[in-house]
Amino acid sequence: MNKSLNNIAFLVLILITVGFPVKLFSGNVGISVIYDVKGNVMVEKKSWKKPQIATVGLTLTSDDKLNVAANASVKVYCSNQQIWTVTPGIYNVSSGCPSGNAVIRILNSNNDTLRPPGMKEEALSKLPYLITPRETSIITNTPQIRWNNVSGASSYTVKIDGVNWEMKTNNTEINYPGEPPLKAEERYRVTIEADNGTSSKSDAVVGFNVLNEQTKKTVLDAVKTIQQQPLSSEEKGLILAHLYRGYKLYGDAIDVLEALVKQGSQEVTVYQLLGDIYLDIGLPQLAKKPYEKGLNLATNTDNLSTQTEIQAGLGKAYRLLGNDSEAVQLLKKAKAGYINLGDEIKVQELDKEIKAILGV
């Protein structure tokens, strides 16, 4: 297969596997979140050949194990919203966090929304691309619409297809007024046109949908429960971000994580998760900064799993932005990390991606 065909195959793989929204709630798995670690605590996952250090924000499934050393402890916010305080010993996560009634979950389906790949950051910076609500679900009927500021543009026209609404503004954000009302589970597309002739359509045609009332209630009840827990703002933020992401409420997750970033968070998972979500919604140019910060934090620790995952995500972001050489370097580092972890599936995935970029 020649290089151009390999590149096409790779881009199709990226569009399927990396950044764009998943089909709503299909194939979801309950996840529990580590939020307090004291002393020596190790995590064992089936995909790893050796245990790794437990870190704040790390997610667990019922198949994982915790190994808590003497004089150590860890607290886990379970997928069913129970708190599990783990004392010294070796435990299956399922023993403390039953897998039933999962409210916090991760979606396993592949995304199916296309985004033109290979557009350089310089070209993207000249477009009024939509930031939020972008390929996300929303709860409110009056969402804030936010987009990239374009040099040389003095005004923007915002349109929402499906409600026949548009508004002109000099700002780079505006709130939809709620009229006409948005309907649950309807797909709405947003476009922004700058007065210098550029349009968000040159990036991608994207939008949002509104959660139905039953799901909305589930989420809001879960949010209320989290807010009432004796947790720090950072612990609450990470748990909320995982909750929102599991219901494809990417915009809400970004708001929570960006607030933690502004507070100067030093938790690697905050930056990793923010980068992941920006990649989820097709904004690799915005995923880079949090990934790079997270990688810097992770490199100064023994957190091999998180470091490896960030390298893989950052490599994919660079690939989507047309920077093949940087992408290959990062993906090779991530591949080496997964070899060290013993995750053969990830090793094979990254090997295929690297070969596709190189055309071999």
Side-chain angles (χ1 to χ4, degrees), residues 216-262:
K216 177 180 175 180
K217 183 179 185 307
T218 297
V219 173
L220 292 179
D221 286 347
V223 170
K224 183 178 179 180
T225 299
I226 293 168
Q227 296 288 14
Q228 291 174 341
Q229 297 292 351
L231 306 169
S232 69
S233 60
E234 195 160 51
E235 291 165 350
K236 288 180 182 179
L238 278 168
I239 294 169
L240 284 169
H242 283 298
L243 169 72
Y244 288 140
R245 191 184 187 194
Y247 288 88
K248 213 181 74 163
L249 292 161
Y250 297 124
D252 294 273
I254 287 171
D255 288 344
V256 169
L257 294 168
E258 287 285 10
L260 293 179
V261 170
K262 289 180 180 178

Side-chain angles (χ1 to χ4, degrees), residues 243-357:
L243 169 72
Y244 288 140
R245 191 184 187 194
Y247 288 88
K248 213 181 74 163
L249 292 161
Y250 297 124
D252 294 273
I254 287 171
D255 288 344
V256 169
L257 294 168
E258 287 285 10
L260 293 179
V261 170
K262 289 180 180 178
Q263 293 172 17
S265 173
Q266 294 300 299
E267 291 293 348
V268 175
T269 313
V270 169
Y271 298 93
Q272 178 192 4
L273 190 54
L274 183 57
D276 287 346
I277 293 172
Y278 274 132
L279 210 56
D280 284 340
I281 61 175
L283 291 174
Q285 66 273 31
L286 297 188
K288 277 182 55 184
K289 186 175 180 180
Y291 271 150
E292 288 168 350
K293 173 67 173 181
L295 186 57
N296 182 57
L297 291 172
T299 302
N300 296 325
T301 69
D302 295 324
N303 193 343
L304 176 62
S305 62
T306 301
Q307 180 179 328
T308 300
E309 289 166 2
I310 293 175
Q311 287 170 334
L314 185 56
K316 291 169 183 177
Y318 273 114
R319 180 66 183 107
L320 286 171
L321 294 170
N323 190 336
D324 289 355
S325 60
E326 192 74 22
V328 169
Q329 289 182 36
L330 284 160
L331 292 174
K332 283 183 175 179
K333 289 179 180 178
K335 177 184 171 182
Y338 282 123
I339 289 173
N340 198 355
L341 288 168
D343 193 332
E344 292 299 325
I345 294 177
K346 290 292 186 181
V347 170
Q348 292 173 15
E349 289 177 359
L350 292 185
D351 191 52
K352 289 180 181 178
E353 292 182 11
I354 292 167
K355 287 180 179 178
I357 297 173

Side-chain angles (χ1 to χ4, degrees), residues 129-142:
Y129 58 79
L130 181 66
I131 298 175
T132 186
R134 181 189 179 103
E135 297 309 284
T136 184
S137 296
I138 64 171
I139 292 177
T140 177
N141 196 51
T142 57

Side-chain angles (χ1 to χ4, degrees), residues 202-221:
S202 297
D203 167 48
V205 179
V206 290
F208 62 92
N209 67 279
V210 184
L211 289 185
N212 61 51
E213 287 301 315
Q214 181 178 352
T215 307
K216 177 180 175 180
K217 183 179 185 307
T218 297
V219 173
L220 292 179
D221 286 347

Side-chain angles (χ1 to χ4, degrees), residues 155-195:
S155 67
Y156 305 88
T157 300
V158 185
K159 300 178 181 180
I160 300 181
D161 294 340
V163 287
N164 194 27
W165 176 87
E166 69 177 66
M167 183 68 67
K168 189 174 183 179
T169 178
N170 297 327
N171 300 316
T172 55
E173 60 182 49
I174 190 172
N175 281 80
Y176 178 67
E179 292 292 337
L182 302 172
K183 297 179 181 179
E185 299 182 337
E186 288 286 332
R187 166 76 171 171
Y188 296 99
R189 297 185 182 275
V190 181
T191 57
I192 299 101
E193 296 175 356
D195 62 357

